[in-house]
PDB file of all heavy atoms in Angstrom:
ATOM      1  N   HIS K   1     288.709 -51.943 -37.189  1.00 94.00           N
ATOM      2  CA  HIS K   1     287.325 -52.383 -36.988  1.00 94.00           C
ATOM      3  C   HIS K   1     287.263 -53.656 -36.152  1.00 94.00           C
ATOM      4  O   HIS K   1     286.430 -53.787 -35.246  1.00 94.00           O
ATOM      5  CB  HIS K   1     286.662 -52.604 -38.349  1.00 94.00           C
ATOM      6  CG  HIS K   1     285.295 -53.214 -38.248  1.00 94.00           C
ATOM      7  ND1 HIS K   1     284.198 -52.525 -37.802  1.00 94.00           N
ATOM      8  CD2 HIS K   1     284.857 -54.484 -38.516  1.00 94.00           C
ATOM      9  CE1 HIS K   1     283.142 -53.319 -37.813  1.00 94.00           C
ATOM     10  NE2 HIS K   1     283.519 -54.511 -38.239  1.00 94.00           N
ATOM     11  N   GLN K   2     288.154 -54.598 -36.421  1.00 95.00           N
ATOM     12  CA  GLN K   2     288.157 -55.855 -35.677  1.00 95.00           C
ATOM     13  C   GLN K   2     288.505 -55.626 -34.206  1.00 95.00           C
ATOM     14  O   GLN K   2     287.941 -56.261 -33.305  1.00 95.00           O
ATOM     15  CB  GLN K   2     289.156 -56.832 -36.297  1.00 95.00           C
ATOM     16  CG  GLN K   2     289.144 -58.216 -35.662  1.00 95.00           C
ATOM     17  CD  GLN K   2     287.765 -58.854 -35.687  1.00 95.00           C
ATOM     18  OE1 GLN K   2     287.166 -58.974 -36.753  1.00 95.00           O
ATOM     19  NE2 GLN K   2     287.257 -59.265 -34.524  1.00 95.00           N
ATOM     20  N   ILE K   3     289.435 -54.695 -33.953  1.00 95.00           N
ATOM     21  CA  ILE K   3     289.803 -54.381 -32.560  1.00 95.00           C
ATOM     22  C   ILE K   3     288.604 -53.807 -31.815  1.00 95.00           C
ATOM     23  O   ILE K   3     288.324 -54.191 -30.662  1.00 95.00           O
ATOM     24  CB  ILE K   3     290.989 -53.392 -32.527  1.00 95.00           C
ATOM     25  CG1 ILE K   3     292.257 -54.075 -33.070  1.00 95.00           C
ATOM     26  CG2 ILE K   3     291.239 -52.895 -31.098  1.00 95.00           C
ATOM     27  CD1 ILE K   3     293.425 -53.124 -33.265  1.00 95.00           C
ATOM     28  N   THR K   4     287.879 -52.904 -32.460  1.00 95.00           N
ATOM     29  CA  THR K   4     286.690 -52.324 -31.805  1.00 95.00           C
ATOM     30  C   THR K   4     285.618 -53.390 -31.569  1.00 95.00           C
ATOM     31  O   THR K   4     284.924 -53.363 -30.552  1.00 95.00           O
ATOM     32  CB  THR K   4     286.100 -51.171 -32.636  1.00 95.00           C
ATOM     33  OG1 THR K   4     285.682 -51.660 -33.916  1.00 95.00           O
ATOM     34  CG2 THR K   4     287.106 -50.052 -32.822  1.00 95.00           C
ATOM     35  N   GLU K   5     285.490 -54.329 -32.503  1.00 95.00           N
ATOM     36  CA  GLU K   5     284.534 -55.428 -32.320  1.00 95.00           C
ATOM     37  C   GLU K   5     284.914 -56.268 -31.096  1.00 95.00           C
ATOM     38  O   GLU K   5     284.046 -56.694 -30.327  1.00 95.00           O
ATOM     39  CB  GLU K   5     284.519 -56.321 -33.568  1.00 95.00           C
ATOM     40  CG  GLU K   5     283.875 -55.691 -34.785  1.00 95.00           C
ATOM     41  CD  GLU K   5     282.363 -55.653 -34.682  1.00 95.00           C
ATOM     42  OE1 GLU K   5     281.758 -56.702 -34.400  1.00 95.00           O
ATOM     43  OE2 GLU K   5     281.791 -54.558 -34.871  1.00 95.00           O
ATOM     44  N   ASP K   6     286.210 -56.493 -30.921  1.00 95.00           N
ATOM     45  CA  ASP K   6     286.678 -57.262 -29.767  1.00 95.00           C
ATOM     46  C   ASP K   6     286.394 -56.522 -28.459  1.00 95.00           C
ATOM     47  O   ASP K   6     286.016 -57.142 -27.451  1.00 95.00           O
ATOM     48  CB  ASP K   6     288.178 -57.541 -29.895  1.00 95.00           C
ATOM     49  CG  ASP K   6     288.500 -58.483 -31.053  1.00 95.00           C
ATOM     50  OD1 ASP K   6     287.574 -59.166 -31.527  1.00 95.00           O
ATOM     51  OD2 ASP K   6     289.674 -58.509 -31.488  1.00 95.00           O
ATOM     52  N   VAL K   7     286.588 -55.195 -28.467  1.00 96.00           N
ATOM     53  CA  VAL K   7     286.299 -54.395 -27.270  1.00 96.00           C
ATOM     54  C   VAL K   7     284.810 -54.455 -26.954  1.00 96.00           C
ATOM     55  O   VAL K   7     284.398 -54.637 -25.799  1.00 96.00           O
ATOM     56  CB  VAL K   7     286.761 -52.934 -27.471  1.00 96.00           C
ATOM     57  CG1 VAL K   7     286.269 -52.063 -26.309  1.00 96.00           C
ATOM     58  CG2 VAL K   7     288.278 -52.858 -27.580  1.00 96.00           C
ATOM     59  N   GLU K   8     283.973 -54.297 -27.978  1.00 94.00           N
ATOM     60  CA  GLU K   8     282.525 -54.361 -27.778  1.00 94.00           C
ATOM     61  C   GLU K   8     282.107 -55.717 -27.213  1.00 94.00           C
ATOM     62  O   GLU K   8     281.265 -55.791 -26.311  1.00 94.00           O
ATOM     63  CB  GLU K   8     281.803 -54.107 -29.104  1.00 94.00           C
ATOM     64  CG  GLU K   8     281.867 -52.666 -29.578  1.00 94.00           C
ATOM     65  CD  GLU K   8     281.115 -52.462 -30.883  1.00 94.00           C
ATOM     66  OE1 GLU K   8     280.394 -53.391 -31.307  1.00 94.00           O
ATOM     67  OE2 GLU K   8     281.253 -51.386 -31.487  1.00 94.00           O
ATOM     68  N   ALA K   9     282.695 -56.782 -27.750  1.00 94.00           N
ATOM     69  CA  ALA K   9     282.348 -58.123 -27.271  1.00 94.00           C
ATOM     70  C   ALA K   9     282.698 -58.293 -25.793  1.00 94.00           C
ATOM     71  O   ALA K   9     281.924 -58.887 -25.025  1.00 94.00           O
ATOM     72  CB  ALA K   9     283.069 -59.169 -28.116  1.00 94.00           C
ATOM     73  N   LYS K  10     283.857 -57.769 -25.389  1.00 94.00           N
ATOM     74  CA  LYS K  10     284.272 -57.854 -23.978  1.00 94.00           C
ATOM     75  C   LYS K  10     283.298 -57.091 -23.076  1.00 94.00           C
ATOM     76  O   LYS K  10     282.928 -57.568 -21.988  1.00 94.00           O
ATOM     77  CB  LYS K  10     285.674 -57.273 -23.827  1.00 94.00           C
ATOM     78  CG  LYS K  10     286.791 -58.176 -24.322  1.00 94.00           C
ATOM     79  CD  LYS K  10     287.360 -59.001 -23.172  1.00 94.00           C
ATOM     80  CE  LYS K  10     288.618 -59.724 -23.590  1.00 94.00           C
ATOM     81  NZ  LYS K  10     289.189 -60.508 -22.470  1.00 94.00           N
ATOM     82  N   LEU K  11     282.913 -55.902 -23.513  1.00 94.00           N
ATOM     83  CA  LEU K  11     281.999 -55.084 -22.714  1.00 94.00           C
ATOM     84  C   LEU K  11     280.616 -55.718 -22.646  1.00 94.00           C
ATOM     85  O   LEU K  11     279.950 -55.679 -21.605  1.00 94.00           O
ATOM     86  CB  LEU K  11     281.913 -53.668 -23.290  1.00 94.00           C
ATOM     87  CG  LEU K  11     283.190 -52.828 -23.141  1.00 94.00           C
ATOM     88  CD1 LEU K  11     283.090 -51.543 -23.956  1.00 94.00           C
ATOM     89  CD2 LEU K  11     283.444 -52.489 -21.672  1.00 94.00           C
ATOM     90  N   MET K  12     280.166 -56.297 -23.763  1.00 91.00           N
ATOM     91  CA  MET K  12     278.857 -56.959 -23.762  1.00 91.00           C
ATOM     92  C   MET K  12     278.861 -58.182 -22.862  1.00 91.00           C
ATOM     93  O   MET K  12     277.881 -58.473 -22.181  1.00 91.00           O
ATOM     94  CB  MET K  12     278.476 -57.353 -25.191  1.00 91.00           C
ATOM     95  CG  MET K  12     278.108 -56.173 -26.076  1.00 91.00           C
ATOM     96  SD  MET K  12     277.703 -56.685 -27.767  1.00 91.00           S
ATOM     97  CE  MET K  12     277.393 -55.073 -28.526  1.00 91.00           C
ATOM     98  N   GLU K  13     279.976 -58.899 -22.861  1.00 90.00           N
ATOM     99  CA  GLU K  13     280.095 -60.070 -21.991  1.00 90.00           C
ATOM    100  C   GLU K  13     280.005 -59.683 -20.515  1.00 90.00           C
ATOM    101  O   GLU K  13     279.423 -60.398 -19.702  1.00 90.00           O
ATOM    102  CB  GLU K  13     281.426 -60.765 -22.265  1.00 90.00           C
ATOM    103  CG  GLU K  13     281.668 -62.003 -21.418  1.00 90.00           C
ATOM    104  CD  GLU K  13     283.032 -62.617 -21.666  1.00 90.00           C
ATOM    105  OE1 GLU K  13     283.762 -62.126 -22.551  1.00 90.00           O
ATOM    106  OE2 GLU K  13     283.380 -63.583 -20.965  1.00 90.00           O
ATOM    107  N   ARG K  14     280.541 -58.520 -20.185  1.00 91.00           N
ATOM    108  CA  ARG K  14     280.580 -58.082 -18.788  1.00 91.00           C
ATOM    109  C   ARG K  14     279.311 -57.349 -18.363  1.00 91.00           C
ATOM    110  O   ARG K  14     278.846 -57.521 -17.235  1.00 91.00           O
ATOM    111  CB  ARG K  14     281.808 -57.177 -18.586  1.00 91.00           C
ATOM    112  CG  ARG K  14     281.930 -56.572 -17.196  1.00 91.00           C
ATOM    113  CD  ARG K  14     282.156 -57.641 -16.145  1.00 91.00           C
ATOM    114  NE  ARG K  14     282.292 -57.070 -14.837  1.00 91.00           N
ATOM    115  CZ  ARG K  14     281.272 -56.731 -14.047  1.00 91.00           C
ATOM    116  NH1 ARG K  14     280.022 -56.937 -14.460  1.00 91.00           N
ATOM    117  NH2 ARG K  14     281.476 -56.228 -12.851  1.00 91.00           N
ATOM    118  N   TYR K  15     278.717 -56.523 -19.261  1.00 90.00           N
ATOM    119  CA  TYR K  15     277.643 -55.623 -18.837  1.00 90.00           C
ATOM    120  C   TYR K  15     276.337 -55.794 -19.608  1.00 90.00           C
ATOM    121  O   TYR K  15     275.466 -54.947 -19.517  1.00 90.00           O
ATOM    122  CB  TYR K  15     278.104 -54.163 -18.973  1.00 90.00           C
ATOM    123  CG  TYR K  15     279.286 -53.814 -18.115  1.00 90.00           C
ATOM    124  CD1 TYR K  15     280.514 -53.498 -18.689  1.00 90.00           C
ATOM    125  CD2 TYR K  15     279.189 -53.802 -16.728  1.00 90.00           C
ATOM    126  CE1 TYR K  15     281.617 -53.168 -17.906  1.00 90.00           C
ATOM    127  CE2 TYR K  15     280.279 -53.480 -15.934  1.00 90.00           C
ATOM    128  CZ  TYR K  15     281.482 -53.159 -16.527  1.00 90.00           C
ATOM    129  OH  TYR K  15     282.568 -52.838 -15.750  1.00 90.00           O
ATOM    130  N   SER K  16     276.168 -56.870 -20.349  1.00 83.00           N
ATOM    131  CA  SER K  16     274.963 -57.060 -21.158  1.00 83.00           C
ATOM    132  C   SER K  16     273.683 -56.952 -20.316  1.00 83.00           C
ATOM    133  O   SER K  16     273.667 -57.409 -19.164  1.00 83.00           O
ATOM    134  CB  SER K  16     275.022 -58.429 -21.832  1.00 83.00           C
ATOM    135  OG  SER K  16     273.915 -58.627 -22.664  1.00 83.00           O
ATOM    136  N   PRO K  17     272.603 -56.345 -20.903  1.00 81.00           N
ATOM    137  CA  PRO K  17     272.511 -55.759 -22.233  1.00 81.00           C
ATOM    138  C   PRO K  17     273.135 -54.360 -22.287  1.00 81.00           C
ATOM    139  O   PRO K  17     272.882 -53.538 -21.409  1.00 81.00           O
ATOM    140  CB  PRO K  17     271.001 -55.690 -22.480  1.00 81.00           C
ATOM    141  CG  PRO K  17     270.401 -55.556 -21.120  1.00 81.00           C
ATOM    142  CD  PRO K  17     271.301 -56.327 -20.184  1.00 81.00           C
ATOM    143  N   VAL K  18     273.949 -54.118 -23.320  1.00 87.00           N
ATOM    144  CA  VAL K  18     274.644 -52.837 -23.429  1.00 87.00           C
ATOM    145  C   VAL K  18     274.800 -52.467 -24.902  1.00 87.00           C
ATOM    146  O   VAL K  18     274.955 -53.345 -25.756  1.00 87.00           O
ATOM    147  CB  VAL K  18     276.023 -52.914 -22.728  1.00 87.00           C
ATOM    148  CG1 VAL K  18     276.904 -53.973 -23.377  1.00 87.00           C
ATOM    149  CG2 VAL K  18     276.730 -51.569 -22.724  1.00 87.00           C
ATOM    150  N   ARG K  19     274.736 -51.176 -25.192  1.00 89.00           N
ATOM    151  CA  ARG K  19     275.028 -50.658 -26.523  1.00 89.00           C
ATOM    152  C   ARG K  19     276.294 -49.816 -26.421  1.00 89.00           C
ATOM    153  O   ARG K  19     276.389 -48.926 -25.574  1.00 89.00           O
ATOM    154  CB  ARG K  19     273.870 -49.821 -27.061  1.00 89.00           C
ATOM    155  CG  ARG K  19     272.681 -50.665 -27.498  1.00 89.00           C
ATOM    156  CD  ARG K  19     271.481 -49.816 -27.855  1.00 89.00           C
ATOM    157  NE  ARG K  19     271.775 -48.889 -28.937  1.00 89.00           N
ATOM    158  CZ  ARG K  19     270.882 -48.026 -29.425  1.00 89.00           C
ATOM    159  NH1 ARG K  19     269.663 -47.981 -28.905  1.00 89.00           N
ATOM    160  NH2 ARG K  19     271.196 -47.212 -30.406  1.00 89.00           N
ATOM    161  N   VAL K  20     277.264 -50.104 -27.302  1.00 93.00           N
ATOM    162  CA  VAL K  20     278.579 -49.461 -27.238  1.00 93.00           C
ATOM    163  C   VAL K  20     278.825 -48.663 -28.518  1.00 93.00           C
ATOM    164  O   VAL K  20     278.637 -49.182 -29.621  1.00 93.00           O
ATOM    165  CB  VAL K  20     279.700 -50.501 -27.049  1.00 93.00           C
ATOM    166  CG1 VAL K  20     281.047 -49.795 -26.874  1.00 93.00           C
ATOM    167  CG2 VAL K  20     279.404 -51.413 -25.867  1.00 93.00           C
ATOM    168  N   ILE K  21     279.244 -47.426 -28.351  1.00 93.00           N
ATOM    169  CA  ILE K  21     279.643 -46.578 -29.475  1.00 93.00           C
ATOM    170  C   ILE K  21     281.115 -46.231 -29.290  1.00 93.00           C
ATOM    171  O   ILE K  21     281.502 -45.668 -28.258  1.00 93.00           O
ATOM    172  CB  ILE K  21     278.805 -45.296 -29.548  1.00 93.00           C
ATOM    173  CG1 ILE K  21     277.324 -45.642 -29.765  1.00 93.00           C
ATOM    174  CG2 ILE K  21     279.310 -44.388 -30.680  1.00 93.00           C
ATOM    175  CD1 ILE K  21     276.410 -44.428 -29.736  1.00 93.00           C
ATOM    176  N   ILE K  22     281.943 -46.569 -30.299  1.00 94.00           N
ATOM    177  CA  ILE K  22     283.389 -46.358 -30.205  1.00 94.00           C
ATOM    178  C   ILE K  22     283.863 -45.467 -31.350  1.00 94.00           C
ATOM    179  O   ILE K  22     283.576 -45.737 -32.521  1.00 94.00           O
ATOM    180  CB  ILE K  22     284.150 -47.702 -30.246  1.00 94.00           C
ATOM    181  CG1 ILE K  22     283.736 -48.571 -29.050  1.00 94.00           C
ATOM    182  CG2 ILE K  22     285.662 -47.460 -30.230  1.00 94.00           C
ATOM    183  CD1 ILE K  22     284.399 -49.945 -29.041  1.00 94.00           C
ATOM    184  N   HIS K  23     284.563 -44.410 -30.984  1.00 95.00           N
ATOM    185  CA  HIS K  23     285.210 -43.531 -31.971  1.00 95.00           C
ATOM    186  C   HIS K  23     286.683 -43.931 -32.056  1.00 95.00           C
ATOM    187  O   HIS K  23     287.422 -43.834 -31.084  1.00 95.00           O
ATOM    188  CB  HIS K  23     285.083 -42.062 -31.550  1.00 95.00           C
ATOM    189  CG  HIS K  23     285.750 -41.109 -32.471  1.00 95.00           C
ATOM    190  ND1 HIS K  23     285.205 -40.718 -33.671  1.00 95.00           N
ATOM    191  CD2 HIS K  23     286.941 -40.466 -32.379  1.00 95.00           C
ATOM    192  CE1 HIS K  23     286.017 -39.869 -34.270  1.00 95.00           C
ATOM    193  NE2 HIS K  23     287.083 -39.704 -33.512  1.00 95.00           N
ATOM    194  N   VAL K  24     287.093 -44.406 -33.236  1.00 94.00           N
ATOM    195  CA  VAL K  24     288.454 -44.914 -33.415  1.00 94.00           C
ATOM    196  C   VAL K  24     289.411 -43.783 -33.773  1.00 94.00           C
ATOM    197  O   VAL K  24     289.087 -42.912 -34.590  1.00 94.00           O
ATOM    198  CB  VAL K  24     288.490 -45.995 -34.518  1.00 94.00           C
ATOM    199  CG1 VAL K  24     289.913 -46.512 -34.705  1.00 94.00           C
ATOM    200  CG2 VAL K  24     287.550 -47.138 -34.169  1.00 94.00           C
ATOM    201  N   GLU K  25     290.616 -43.828 -33.160  1.00 92.00           N
ATOM    202  CA  GLU K  25     291.636 -42.819 -33.424  1.00 92.00           C
ATOM    203  C   GLU K  25     292.972 -43.501 -33.753  1.00 92.00           C
ATOM    204  O   GLU K  25     293.216 -44.635 -33.314  1.00 92.00           O
ATOM    205  CB  GLU K  25     291.778 -41.894 -32.211  1.00 92.00           C
ATOM    206  CG  GLU K  25     290.529 -41.031 -32.031  1.00 92.00           C
ATOM    207  CD  GLU K  25     290.496 -40.286 -30.705  1.00 92.00           C
ATOM    208  OE1 GLU K  25     291.177 -40.728 -29.766  1.00 92.00           O
ATOM    209  OE2 GLU K  25     289.767 -39.299 -30.615  1.00 92.00           O
ATOM    210  N   PRO K  26     293.822 -42.833 -34.532  1.00 90.00           N
ATOM    211  CA  PRO K  26     295.091 -43.435 -34.971  1.00 90.00           C
ATOM    212  C   PRO K  26     296.100 -43.543 -33.829  1.00 90.00           C
ATOM    213  O   PRO K  26     295.949 -42.900 -32.787  1.00 90.00           O
ATOM    214  CB  PRO K  26     295.579 -42.452 -36.042  1.00 90.00           C
ATOM    215  CG  PRO K  26     294.985 -41.145 -35.643  1.00 90.00           C
ATOM    216  CD  PRO K  26     293.632 -41.472 -35.067  1.00 90.00           C
ATOM    217  N   PRO K  27     297.173 -44.326 -34.020  1.00 89.00           N
ATOM    218  CA  PRO K  27     298.154 -44.543 -32.950  1.00 89.00           C
ATOM    219  C   PRO K  27     298.883 -43.289 -32.503  1.00 89.00           C
ATOM    220  O   PRO K  27     299.404 -43.237 -31.385  1.00 89.00           O
ATOM    221  CB  PRO K  27     299.124 -45.561 -33.545  1.00 89.00           C
ATOM    222  CG  PRO K  27     298.743 -45.755 -34.955  1.00 89.00           C
ATOM    223  CD  PRO K  27     297.419 -45.146 -35.197  1.00 89.00           C
ATOM    224  N   SER K  28     298.915 -42.256 -33.364  1.00 86.00           N
ATOM    225  CA  SER K  28     299.635 -41.029 -33.011  1.00 86.00           C
ATOM    226  C   SER K  28     298.839 -40.123 -32.070  1.00 86.00           C
ATOM    227  O   SER K  28     299.380 -39.170 -31.508  1.00 86.00           O
ATOM    228  CB  SER K  28     299.980 -40.238 -34.287  1.00 86.00           C
ATOM    229  OG  SER K  28     298.792 -39.915 -35.002  1.00 86.00           O
ATOM    230  N   TYR K  29     297.557 -40.411 -31.864  1.00 86.00           N
ATOM    231  CA  TYR K  29     296.714 -39.535 -31.045  1.00 86.00           C
ATOM    232  C   TYR K  29     297.079 -39.677 -29.571  1.00 86.00           C
ATOM    233  O   TYR K  29     297.290 -40.792 -29.074  1.00 86.00           O
ATOM    234  CB  TYR K  29     295.240 -39.878 -31.243  1.00 86.00           C
ATOM    235  CG  TYR K  29     294.300 -38.847 -30.661  1.00 86.00           C
ATOM    236  CD1 TYR K  29     293.876 -37.756 -31.416  1.00 86.00           C
ATOM    237  CD2 TYR K  29     293.854 -38.957 -29.340  1.00 86.00           C
ATOM    238  CE1 TYR K  29     293.019 -36.805 -30.873  1.00 86.00           C
ATOM    239  CE2 TYR K  29     293.004 -38.004 -28.790  1.00 86.00           C
ATOM    240  CZ  TYR K  29     292.592 -36.933 -29.570  1.00 86.00           C
ATOM    241  OH  TYR K  29     291.752 -35.989 -29.029  1.00 86.00           O
ATOM    242  N   GLN K  30     297.137 -38.551 -28.864  1.00 81.00           N
ATOM    243  CA  GLN K  30     297.505 -38.533 -27.442  1.00 81.00           C
ATOM    244  C   GLN K  30     296.380 -37.919 -26.611  1.00 81.00           C
ATOM    245  O   GLN K  30     295.864 -36.850 -26.964  1.00 81.00           O
ATOM    246  CB  GLN K  30     298.799 -37.732 -27.227  1.00 81.00           C
ATOM    247  CG  GLN K  30     300.008 -38.283 -27.958  1.00 81.00           C
ATOM    248  CD  GLN K  30     300.436 -39.630 -27.399  1.00 81.00           C
ATOM    249  OE1 GLN K  30     300.362 -39.860 -26.187  1.00 81.00           O
ATOM    250  NE2 GLN K  30     300.887 -40.520 -28.277  1.00 81.00           N
ATOM    251  N   GLU K  31     296.002 -38.571 -25.547  1.00 79.00           N
ATOM    252  CA  GLU K  31     294.966 -38.051 -24.633  1.00 79.00           C
ATOM    253  C   GLU K  31     295.113 -38.757 -23.297  1.00 79.00           C
ATOM    254  O   GLU K  31     295.173 -39.993 -23.238  1.00 79.00           O
ATOM    255  CB  GLU K  31     293.573 -38.300 -25.211  1.00 79.00           C
ATOM    256  CG  GLU K  31     292.447 -37.889 -24.279  1.00 79.00           C
ATOM    257  CD  GLU K  31     292.451 -36.412 -23.932  1.00 79.00           C
ATOM    258  OE1 GLU K  31     292.358 -35.578 -24.862  1.00 79.00           O
ATOM    259  OE2 GLU K  31     292.582 -36.098 -22.728  1.00 79.00           O
ATOM    260  N   ASN K  32     295.170 -37.978 -22.208  1.00 78.00           N
ATOM    261  CA  ASN K  32     295.403 -38.540 -20.879  1.00 78.00           C
ATOM    262  C   ASN K  32     294.136 -38.681 -20.037  1.00 78.00           C
ATOM    263  O   ASN K  32     294.152 -39.341 -18.998  1.00 78.00           O
ATOM    264  CB  ASN K  32     296.413 -37.689 -20.110  1.00 78.00           C
ATOM    265  CG  ASN K  32     297.784 -37.713 -20.778  1.00 78.00           C
ATOM    266  OD1 ASN K  32     298.204 -38.756 -21.276  1.00 78.00           O
ATOM    267  ND2 ASN K  32     298.461 -36.567 -20.796  1.00 78.00           N
ATOM    268  N   HIS K  33     293.044 -38.049 -20.458  1.00 83.00           N
ATOM    269  CA  HIS K  33     291.828 -38.057 -19.640  1.00 83.00           C
ATOM    270  C   HIS K  33     290.988 -39.292 -19.955  1.00 83.00           C
ATOM    271  O   HIS K  33     290.492 -39.454 -21.084  1.00 83.00           O
ATOM    272  CB  HIS K  33     291.018 -36.794 -19.887  1.00 83.00           C
ATOM    273  CG  HIS K  33     291.682 -35.547 -19.419  1.00 83.00           C
ATOM    274  ND1 HIS K  33     291.822 -35.205 -18.097  1.00 83.00           N
ATOM    275  CD2 HIS K  33     292.299 -34.552 -20.116  1.00 83.00           C
ATOM    276  CE1 HIS K  33     292.483 -34.061 -17.975  1.00 83.00           C
ATOM    277  NE2 HIS K  33     292.779 -33.639 -19.187  1.00 83.00           N
ATOM    278  N   ILE K  34     290.832 -40.159 -18.981  1.00 89.00           N
ATOM    279  CA  ILE K  34     290.030 -41.368 -19.173  1.00 89.00           C
ATOM    280  C   ILE K  34     288.573 -40.998 -19.437  1.00 89.00           C
ATOM    281  O   ILE K  34     287.921 -41.543 -20.330  1.00 89.00           O
ATOM    282  CB  ILE K  34     290.118 -42.289 -17.943  1.00 89.00           C
ATOM    283  CG1 ILE K  34     291.536 -42.849 -17.810  1.00 89.00           C
ATOM    284  CG2 ILE K  34     289.132 -43.441 -18.056  1.00 89.00           C
ATOM    285  CD1 ILE K  34     291.723 -43.731 -16.599  1.00 89.00           C
ATOM    286  N   SER K  35     288.058 -40.078 -18.640  1.00 85.00           N
ATOM    287  CA  SER K  35     286.665 -39.677 -18.785  1.00 85.00           C
ATOM    288  C   SER K  35     286.538 -38.187 -18.542  1.00 85.00           C
ATOM    289  O   SER K  35     287.532 -37.491 -18.308  1.00 85.00           O
ATOM    290  CB  SER K  35     285.788 -40.458 -17.792  1.00 85.00           C
ATOM    291  OG  SER K  35     284.419 -40.189 -17.999  1.00 85.00           O
ATOM    292  N   PHE K  36     285.338 -37.685 -18.615  1.00 78.00           N
ATOM    293  CA  PHE K  36     285.101 -36.258 -18.429  1.00 78.00           C
ATOM    294  C   PHE K  36     285.304 -35.893 -16.968  1.00 78.00           C
ATOM    295  O   PHE K  36     284.675 -36.447 -16.072  1.00 78.00           O
ATOM    296  CB  PHE K  36     283.679 -35.913 -18.869  1.00 78.00           C
ATOM    297  CG  PHE K  36     283.415 -36.285 -20.318  1.00 78.00           C
ATOM    298  CD1 PHE K  36     282.846 -37.493 -20.621  1.00 78.00           C
ATOM    299  CD2 PHE K  36     283.795 -35.435 -21.339  1.00 78.00           C
ATOM    300  CE1 PHE K  36     282.616 -37.857 -21.955  1.00 78.00           C
ATOM    301  CE2 PHE K  36     283.592 -35.785 -22.668  1.00 78.00           C
ATOM    302  CZ  PHE K  36     282.991 -36.998 -22.976  1.00 78.00           C
ATOM    303  N   GLY K  37     286.208 -34.949 -16.733  1.00 69.00           N
ATOM    304  CA  GLY K  37     286.516 -34.524 -15.373  1.00 69.00           C
ATOM    305  C   GLY K  37     287.456 -35.471 -14.654  1.00 69.00           C
ATOM    306  O   GLY K  37     287.729 -35.297 -13.475  1.00 69.00           O
TER     307      GLY K  37
END
């Protein structure tokens, strides 16, 4: 939770006003696609 709060704070500092929704996943999860497509 604290890590996601830190990410949100960084994004808000850069792009405010912004609303951020983060889905947290465990360290074992693997995914190579940064975004859709």
